[in-house]
Amino acid sequence: MKILVVNCGSSSLKYQLIDMDNEGVIAKGLCERIGIDGSKLTHQPAGKDKFVVEKPMPDHHVAIELVLEALQDPEHGVIASTDEITAIGHRVLHAGTKYSDSCLVTDDVKAVIRECFPLGPLHNPANLMGIEACEAAMPGKPNVAVWDTAFGMKMPEKAYMYAIPKEYLEKYSIRRYGFHGTSHMFVSGEAIKFGGLDPEKAKVIVCHLGNGASISASIGGKCVDTSMGLTPLEGLIMGTRSGDIDPAVVQFICNNEGKTVDEVLNILNKKSGVLGMSGVSSDFRDLGAAAEAGNHDAQVALDAFIYRVAKYIGAYTAAMNGVDAIAFTAGVGENDKKTRKAVCAYLGYLGVEIDDEANDVRGKNAVISSANSKVKVMLIPTNEELAIARETLRLVQ
Ligand code: ADP
């Protein structure tokens, strides 16, 4: 059984065709510059050469048509016809308070995606375009929406409420939602399996550390708390996002620099984080190199990033009254042993002990704590596409 996974951005479309019999990727690819001059599709069939199509893609409908052509291409293709595709799973950013689980796409689901445009102004419109393009190109095939906010919707009220007048929750659904939900769901589930933990009771903290970074606490796979909020701006220090900040900073910059709130929010999203602190880069490899070369600001940015992660781990351990496992994932979490070790250096009070040899690992499931460690520390590579494919299969079976 083959599932097509689609992840649409405003000018991009990423896809993977996954064979659910062995969960292997049969082909994957990316359409870039949709609606812009110079559109390009890069198609990568497993075990074959890459294949690039440079054709105009005025919208996501044309992009999907080209993806389906590439998948069926006599030379570079991997399927004889779209009949081989059982269903399509879509990453959808925001369901507001309406859905807390993946669901088959219906008219109501599409209406909810549209209602939530204000909550996900960059992603939800693109996600809807992707769904409509698949419906048009493959009529009658089931489409499944896998929400990035679903995992965080399981948070209890005390964790999701902002301490602001309740009317704003009631009028505008202003609350904490959390993002990277599919990744947190996948990694916490894999950590429980890989670590041999109790699937009902395991207390797991997942550190998703990439350019976007977030952290979650879950018990038996059910979210207790997660660091991103109404938008992905809250929580950890990220590549270009500030994470937690006193809101008065916004007013102060507006008043002193003659900027609008929107302009300052743009700065907090795109020019802050380790980029803003260091003035060097948002890329953690560049930052590490600069720090090693003696750049003080780069070192402080890295230290602050690690410190914030460690503080959240402390808070989430308290929230769950304990922790059985801590799992690192995403670009930095999967590849950077120094960051993992530096975070864990704060956790001696929890009985965390890293095994340096075991920590010398990249991109594969591994336990990186020593046999004596009171908490299992793991590296679990995230795989949002596979998580979406599994959810899709679960709903169409
Ligand atoms: P996103 O999906 O949010 O764009 P990723 O999860 O792909 O982010 O992570 C990208 C980040 O991972 C980049 O900042 C990159 O520098 C970092 N990264 C990748 N490999 C390494 C490495 N070996 N050491 C440190 N950082 C790394």
Side-chain angles (χ1 to χ4, degrees):
M1 194 178 287
K2 298 180 181 90
I3 304 279
L4 180 64
V5 176
V6 172
N7 181 357
C8 284
S10 51
S11 66
S12 69
L13 186 159
K14 283 191 227 156
Y15 63 93
Q16 284 195 6
L17 185 65
I18 299 181
D19 183 347
M20 296 312 286
D21 295 337
N22 54 22
E23 297 193 331
V25 177
I26 308 169
K28 62 180 176 181
L30 167 69
C31 300
E32 295 166 277
R33 301 181 66 86
I34 301 171
I36 311 174
D37 282 351
S39 316
K40 177 167 114 175
L41 159 66
T42 309
H43 176 71
Q44 174 71 71
K48 293 190 200 169
D49 287 339
K50 254 191 203 150
F51 164 58
V52 176
V53 180
E54 294 189 28
K55 277 192 190 166
M57 292 182 219
D59 56 32
H60 289 74
H61 285 261
V62 179
I64 273 290
E65 292 291 351
L66 290 177
V67 168
L68 296 179
E69 271 176 31
L71 288 170
Q72 299 170 85
D73 186 85
E75 201 181 330
H76 309 279
V78 289
I79 50 174
S81 115
T82 56
D83 291 347
E84 291 181 44
I85 300 173
T86 304
I88 305 109
H90 297 264
R91 174 181 187 253
V92 186
L93 184 78
H94 222 301
T97 55
K98 298 290 166 48
Y99 291 105
S100 53
D101 207 353
S102 313
C103 48
L104 279 166
V105 172
T106 59
D107 287 345
D108 185 57
V109 169
K110 285 191 277 183
V112 168
I113 299 175
R114 211 172 280 115
E115 274 166 37
C116 294
F117 280 3
L119 290 168
L122 296 180
H123 295 87
N124 270 37
N127 301 152
L128 184 60
M129 280 192 277
I131 289 172
E132 288 176 341
C134 287
E135 285 177 333
M138 292 172 277
K141 253 191 224 306
N143 286 273
V144 168
V146 180
W147 315 94
D148 216 35
T149 49
F151 185 77
M153 283 302 290
K154 311 267 184 339
M155 271 188 279
E157 247 177 322
K158 63 185 175 189
Y160 74 65
M161 288 275 295
Y162 284 116
I164 58 175
K166 200 174 175 194
E167 61 181 285
Y168 300 122
L169 170 66
E170 287 154 357
K171 274 201 230 162
Y172 309 115
S173 304
I174 295 179
R175 49 160 280 173
R176 307 187 58 255
Y177 291 94
F179 297 86
H180 292 146
T182 311
S183 175
H184 287 287
M185 173 185 75
F186 179 83
V187 174
S188 55
E190 292 295 299
I192 289 172
K193 276 192 247 161
F194 187 71
L197 306 173
D198 182 337
E200 304 293 323
K201 295 195 188 132
K203 297 173 176 173
V204 178
I205 293 177
V206 173
C207 308
H208 178 115
L209 309 180
N211 187 33
S214 62
I215 181 164
S216 69
S218 59
I219 301 181
K222 191 169 162 230
C223 181
V224 168
D225 208 337
T226 185
S227 60
M228 286 175 164
L230 174 71
T231 76
L233 189 52
E234 191 178 337
L236 300 180
I237 296 175
M238 311 183 206
T240 63
R241 295 190 191 114
S242 63
D244 296 336
I245 197 166
D246 180 344
V249 169
V250 176
Q251 181 197 35
F252 204 87
I253 299 176
C254 284
N255 289 346
N256 284 285
E257 298 262 316
K259 292 195 188 307
T260 63
V261 169
D262 284 12
E263 284 169 338
V264 177
L265 263 282
N266 194 45
I267 292 169
L268 295 182
N269 269 302
K270 302 206 172 130
K271 295 187 177 154
S272 299
V274 291
L275 167 68
M277 290 183 78
S278 67
V280 171
S281 173
S282 61
D283 190 293
F284 283 83
R285 280 164 296 197
D286 298 345
L287 218 56
E292 254 170 50
N295 184 313
H296 173 76
D297 292 346
Q299 187 61 57
V300 173
L302 282 175
D303 291 347
F305 171 79
I306 288 160
Y307 176 63
R308 180 85 52 97
V309 175
K311 282 209 294 186
Y312 263 93
I313 292 175
Y316 285 177
T317 303
M320 298 191 289
N321 194 8
V323 57
D324 298 310
I326 298 170
F328 287 93
T329 197
V332 179
E334 290 171 28
N335 293 300
D336 188 6
K337 62 181 177 186
K338 271 169 103 178
T339 296
R340 293 192 297 260
K341 184 165 170 159
V343 169
C344 291
Y346 280 96
L347 309 177
Y349 71 100
L350 289 176
V352 167
E353 203 181 281
I354 291 296
D355 177 331
D356 285 336
E357 224 170 276
N359 188 33
D360 192 9
V361 61
R362 286 172 71 160
K364 63 171 191 180
N365 283 358
V367 173
I368 59 170
S369 48
S370 71
N372 292 329
S373 183
K374 294 216 173 68
V375 179
K376 230 173 218 176
V377 184
M378 290 181 247
L379 189 172
I380 306 281
T382 191
N383 191 339
E384 288 167 90
E385 290 78 13
L386 178 56
I388 291 170
R390 285 181 184 168
E391 285 292 278
T392 304
L393 183 64
R394 178 173 72 80
L395 280 154
V396 297
Q397 257 178 347

